[in-house]
Amino acid sequence: MASTDMVRLEDLHAGRSPLSGRKHVLSILVENKPGVLARVAGLFSRRGFNIDTLAVGPTEDPEVSRITLTLDGAVHPIDQVTKQLHKLVNVLKIRDMEPEETVAREMALFKVSAAVENRAEIVQFAEIFRAKIVDVSRRALIVEVTGSHDKIEAFESMLRPHGLLEMVRTGEVALARGGD
Amino acid sequence: MRAADALFRSLEAEGVDHIFGIPGGANLPTYDALVDADLRHVQARHEQAAGHAAEGYAHASGKVGVAFGTSGPGATNLVTAIADAMMDSVPTVFITGQVRTDLIGTDGFQEADIVGITMPIVKHSLLVTEPEHIPEYIHEAFHIASTGRPGPVLVDVPQDLARAEIDYQPRTEPVELSGYKPTVEGNLKQIRLAAKAMANARRPVIYTGGGVKNANASAELRELCDSDKFPVTSTLMGLGCFPSDSEQWLGMLGMHGTRTANYAMDEADLIIAIGARFDDRITGKLSEFAPSAKFIHIDIDPAEISKNVPAHIPIVGDVKLVLPKLNREYQALQTDPSRLDGWWSRIRAWQNEYPLTYEPGTEGEIKPQLMVEMMHKVTGGDAIITSDVGQHQMWAAQYYGFNQPRKWINSGGLGTMGFGLPAAIGAKVARPDEQVVCLAGDGSLIMNVQELATAVNEEVPVKVFLMNNGFMGMVRQWQELFWSERYSGVENGPSPDWVKLAEAFGAGGLRCEDSADLEEMMIATLEHDGPALLDVRVSPRENCYPMIPAGNAARDMVG
């Protein structure tokens, strides 16, 4: 008998748990063609995957767009998500961004009710968070802030008590650190 | 050249010699070009049936099946066939007419966003926006439909673009798509690991699926199975890829599979899944599926691996290329076949204790299982059998005994009633020298019975053996067993008179109500010159057993 006892069945293990338990940022390069976003979004809804944030835009190559989306790896099997995405012919490349090796940023605009007595405090928060006041009116300010998802969450929680009238967030965009 | 003419030159360049379809306003240019095309158009009577005929053609031949429909309702009628082709991985190309480009988005007459509607059920789709793209798109569509895991590709052609003049350049170069590169070879390291695991297994089972048929890997499968007397079972879609008369055959597995196959899976220590996808009809209760087994999973679609059942040894590749390598690696290990003796004696005990069997009928009664056995007898076990969906389909799978691939054509994944007759027409067009029999249910057949007109007018001599129990039999069975016999919507009643209906279409029609006449009438139906239907009145309330009630484990089979 040749080396058959090298692989005992009890030593075989299936891959790691399909649920990672953390947030994932997927950077998806797609062909810049009509309907591609619908295909990607449709795949998520059909398979019951819930997108937390979504950002779409051009890349350095005019024929290629980048879809950056975040989803919860505690709920969704990320391997299965990426494998299904790969089956779309218009999807060129998918990167499941490693948090430590990624620069991820989100932008948000907050319209805050800003009576005269509150204004100074809001401006002070904005400075601390390196946010900018981009519009001022008698009753409200619009504050622009850029940063990580957590920073924006923190800023939002600071502003909320002052009367958050409206807000808009872009969803995260991300690039891998380093030269490749 | 007119783009519509270029469309047919492109189809001819792909080797297409038959298409199935129905014309309409938006594909008038295409049908005008068809007049001069060098291929046969089979005119269906409903686009759904054209789609299923294209599927039947693909199943029987292994070539890409092609169906045409016009815009709007023509296209939406194709949707069921497209979904069916997606679920069963059938290589198909659907070419729809679309309203003129200036009308798109205006809710124009017979406008439907068929590309949008079908997005979740196609392998890929292409909306023609420039007439020059047509030859390239057709070339891509055939490449995508037929390679990797096969599936349906939709090409939507606006009416005005089909009429445009283009400079036609034949496209025959290899298709290069940066977003589509199926992995076919299989990782050799993984294959070696799999061979060693197989060599150490004491209770292995080879579990095969439709992927073996799609890969045309029946011979490769047989070689691997023969290498060490492995027990073999198959899904509904893989029947025939391994001969049912082999001593190693356990029968089909899953909900209506044999006890032997299901018990073997339940006790296996190693399951070698080949071109199969662990569908819920196979696994039953997932948490109790094959509790002692490790899994080798070979599939061309990486997304199937570990989707339902985590694989211990995943191998992504074309079964036809992977199996010979696996066989070679396995043979090199020079294993001792006697280590499987204990396993085989356990299997033989199950086979003796739980053969597929049924209560014989009373005098003259035609039991549905007997009907399938008689079909086997009169066709020599060698016909192409298509089926609809329901009890008759399961009885065919259990009792016909398929020994060759591409002889059993049915709707497995989507479970489309009304599939059988149009699929039979497609299969007969693809393989005119083969006997093609549609085993139909009375609930299913009427859903596409208009295709008898197609069979008659197009002179496609298919035979319909109608297993007529007067019920939506499988639903009735579930209501009886699991819904406290509260029967709801399952009685079909006396209409139609199937013999008169067949005759009204110009087909032969016979009725059989006595088991003593069955053989003779089946032979008469087969010998009828042209399409013919045999209305067989079977035991109305026979249930299909054995079965794993939905959501239960294999060891809890009943009946």
Side-chain angles (χ1 to χ4, degrees), chain A:
Chain A
M1 296 255 290
S3 53
T4 57
D5 44 8
M6 281 163 56
V7 179
R8 299 188 314 162
L9 293 188
E10 52 269 37
D11 296 335
L12 292 174
H13 299 286
R16 61 195 152 83
S17 156
L19 299 180
S20 69
R22 65 172 172 86
K23 183 186 94 171
H24 285 254
V25 179
L26 298 185
S27 178
I28 307 164
L29 294 177
V30 300
E31 291 180 276
N32 181 12
K33 285 185 177 170
V36 175
L37 179 61
R39 283 178 209 274
V40 171
L43 185 147
F44 275 77
S45 68
R46 157 163 144 60
R47 298 270 172 193
F49 306 140
N50 191 25
I51 301 174
D52 289 334
T53 73
L54 174 71
V56 189
T59 65
E60 67 285 354
D61 178 346
E63 295 189 353
V64 175
S65 298
R66 188 190 303 271
I67 297 175
T68 309
L69 57 85
T70 61
L71 70 168
D72 188 349
V75 188
H76 304 306
I78 301 297
D79 265 7
Q80 181 61 208
V81 174
T82 56
K83 283 174 179 177
Q84 293 293 348
L85 280 169
H86 267 300
K87 287 170 70 168
L88 297 177
V89 173
N90 302 123
V91 168
L92 303 174
K93 196 175 171 189
I94 303 167
R95 193 156 177 174
D96 181 7
M97 310 293 275
E98 289 293 332
E100 288 76 34
E101 293 158 27
T102 302
V103 179
R105 291 290 182 269
E106 184 173 348
M107 194 190 106
L109 297 174
F110 296 101
K111 185 183 283 183
V112 202
S113 132
V116 180
E117 61 271 25
N118 290 340
R119 257 175 215 221
E121 196 180 7
I122 293 169
V123 171
Q124 206 176 4
F125 285 153
E127 276 175 17
I128 294 167
F129 280 85
R130 294 189 203 167
K132 285 191 290 193
I133 313 289
V134 290
D135 184 70
V136 183
S137 65
R138 248 166 21 91
R139 293 161 178 271
L141 298 175
I142 295 179
V143 191
E144 173 197 320
V145 63
T146 304
S148 70
H149 182 81
D150 291 345
K151 174 180 163 181
I152 304 223
E153 296 275 295
F155 189 52
E156 183 194 325
S157 68
M158 302 301 285
L159 290 183
R160 217 170 247 287
H162 291 287
L164 187 54
L165 300 175
E166 268 188 291
M167 77 168 195
V168 57
R169 294 170 61 164
T170 56
E172 275 184 290
V173 294
L175 283 179
R177 294 179 190 274
D180 55 326

Side-chain angles (χ1 to χ4, degrees), chain B residues 336-512:
Chain B
D336 173 11
S338 69
R339 79 188 193 290
L340 300 180
D341 289 351
W343 183 223
W344 271 109
S345 57
R346 184 126 179 90
I347 289 170
R348 294 291 179 230
W350 286 322
Q351 286 175 325
N352 290 330
E353 197 172 347
Y354 308 111
L356 271 178
T357 183
Y358 59 95
E359 293 284 317
T362 54
E363 175 78 27
E365 183 184 6
I366 306 172
K367 284 281 189 158
Q369 301 92 333
L370 173 77
M371 179 181 167
V372 176
E373 289 172 336
M374 191 61 80
M375 280 177 64
H376 180 99
K377 187 175 175 196
V378 298
T379 58
D382 195 32
I384 292 177
I385 306 291
T386 73
S387 91
D388 286 312
V389 169
Q391 288 180 316
H392 67 282
Q393 176 192 28
M394 292 299 116
W395 280 315
Q398 291 175 335
Y399 286 93
Y400 189 80
F402 295 94
N403 292 325
Q404 291 173 59
R406 302 196 180 279
K407 294 267 177 161
W408 166 237
I409 297 172
N410 77 133
S411 167
L414 196 66
T416 308
M417 293 171 70
F419 175 87
L421 175 57
I425 292 170
K428 184 70 180 172
V429 167
R431 292 169 75 175
D433 297 334
E434 301 269 351
Q435 183 74 259
V436 178
V437 178
C438 167
L439 174 62
D442 54 307
S444 290
L445 180 61
I446 202 154
M447 292 191 182
N448 268 320
V449 76
Q450 78 284 343
E451 296 310 309
L452 282 175
T454 306
V456 170
N457 287 330
E458 298 279 347
E459 298 180 349
V460 185
V462 295
K463 312 298 175 178
V464 179
F465 286 0
L466 173 61
M467 186 182 280
N468 187 351
N469 59 9
F471 284 108
M472 300 281 178
M474 189 60 93
V475 182
R476 192 205 57 72
Q477 176 173 342
W478 281 55
Q479 289 177 349
E480 179 191 327
L481 299 178
F482 311 119
W483 296 84
S484 315
E485 299 182 50
R486 285 160 56 86
Y487 297 111
S488 178
V490 291
E491 280 185 49
N492 291 335
S495 176
D497 180 325
W498 290 98
V499 172
K500 282 186 185 162
L501 185 63
E503 287 170 353
F505 278 110
L510 287 169
R511 177 169 296 126
C512 182

